Amino acid sequence: MSLNVIDEKNALENIARNSLYAVGANEVTIQYSFEILSRYIKGDSTLEMGPAEGVMTKLLATLNQELTLLEGAETFCEDLRQNFPGVAVINSLFEEYRPDRLYDNIVLGHVLEHVDDPVDILKCAARWLTPHGRILAAVPNSRSLHRQAAVIMGLLPFEEALNDMDRHHGHRRVFNPETYRQAFLQAGLKIEIFGGYWLKPISSGQIEAHWSDEMLQAFMKLGERYPDIAGEIYVVATL
């Protein structure tokens, strides 16, 4: 394992203590990603990797699945145990996790942009799947309209560059549609579905200051029509 375990855990705790995942438009994005990914969940068991505050978890818990949460930050795990007392919560780095079972569904909502080696994490997840299981994963899209506009305005040097919010969240990269699909293929997975959601023309701060809930929901849906330039992209993958 190439990463420093102590440094990695410390970094995750710092992110957890200053987390903005469950705030404003970002929370709505996670909720809509559940609406997308839940269309493809089958079987009886689900592993959610990196649940953070549990915005996605709260929705996954409604699906009558045997749910397991795998989270690297103990701060998040403490809250998850309190908020979801009937759910198994495991505090472990993904790279160190050794499950004693397989899962029908593995959900990675805004995870692969954080990890040291996305392909390695996908290979791990593939080993934890049942033979007919699925990996369901979503990430921010560097080709989102708001990032393209930021480049034109001189606020970003190029679309894949990390902005202030990326750094706050602990992102290590921003995928575009091609690099995202390639990560799954390099991990030996088959891409069943690729898509997008959340057509995001301006920053989250501007949206939160001026948009109605109806506008947010409309632009979430519009992103499904234009995945290449949507704010978020997702993959459903199989063995």
Side-chain angles (χ1 to χ4, degrees):
M1 182 165 48
S2 62
L3 80 169
N4 184 300
V5 171
I6 294 176
D7 288 347
E8 195 75 6
K9 289 183 177 179
N10 287 338
L12 289 172
E13 290 300 330
N14 287 332
I15 293 168
R17 285 192 290 267
N18 299 282
S19 177
L20 295 175
Y21 294 128
V23 176
N26 196 67
E27 181 178 12
V28 177
T29 304
I30 297 172
Q31 292 167 345
Y32 199 83
S33 69
F34 167 79
E35 183 175 328
I36 295 283
L37 300 182
S38 64
R39 300 169 188 172
Y40 309 107
I41 289 178
K42 296 181 179 179
D44 302 316
S45 59
T46 295
L47 172 69
E48 184 185 6
M49 298 174 64
E53 290 101 333
V55 176
M56 175 80 76
T57 309
K58 183 177 181 180
L59 300 168
L60 289 171
T62 67
L63 295 181
N64 195 30
Q65 291 272 314
E66 185 179 351
L67 183 59
T68 301
L69 309 179
L70 178 61
E71 172 58 55
E74 177 58 32
T75 298
F76 282 144
C77 286
E78 291 173 1
D79 291 339
L80 290 166
R81 292 185 184 108
Q82 289 184 4
N83 294 331
F84 305 99
V87 174
V89 179
I90 300 166
N91 179 210
S92 171
L93 296 181
F94 304 147
E95 294 88 347
E96 295 187 309
Y97 183 47
R98 300 294 183 269
D100 58 4
R101 58 161 305 164
L102 300 177
Y103 301 94
D104 296 318
N105 310 282
I106 298 180
V107 176
L108 300 96
H110 298 90
V111 165
L112 293 173
E113 67 271 29
H114 290 265
V115 299
D116 181 59
D117 186 336
V119 174
D120 182 61
I121 296 303
L122 287 170
K123 287 180 179 178
C124 288
R127 292 194 293 270
W128 307 337
L129 277 180
T130 59
H132 301 291
R134 287 170 157 174
I135 293 174
L136 309 104
V139 296
N141 180 15
S142 72
R143 219 166 272 155
S144 173
L145 286 178
H146 81 288
R147 296 185 75 94
Q148 293 193 52
V151 173
I152 293 171
M153 295 166 66
L155 301 176
L156 276 180
F158 56 98
E159 291 166 7
E160 284 79 20
L162 298 179
N163 60 31
D164 289 342
M165 192 56 69
D166 289 319
R167 286 186 284 270
H168 180 92
H169 287 317
H171 295 175
R172 285 180 158 120
R173 66 194 59 79
V174 189
F175 290 97
N176 63 45
E178 290 75 32
T179 58
Y180 194 46
R181 287 190 291 260
Q182 189 61 30
F184 287 84
L185 298 177
Q186 288 177 351
L189 290 159
K190 299 175 183 176
I191 296 175
E192 186 176 293
I193 297 165
F194 169 83
Y197 57 95
W198 187 202
L199 194 65
K200 184 180 180 183
I202 53 178
S203 72
S204 293
Q206 292 168 311
I207 289 167
E208 290 161 4
H210 301 291
W211 284 28
S212 66
D213 290 342
E214 291 78 11
M215 291 174 68
L216 260 176
Q217 290 300 317
F219 277 80
M220 291 288 168
K221 294 181 186 296
L222 277 173
E224 295 194 58
R225 300 183 184 181
Y226 308 102
D228 191 64
I229 56 171
E232 309 275 326
I233 47 179
Y234 69 93
V235 159
V236 178
T238 59
L239 297 174

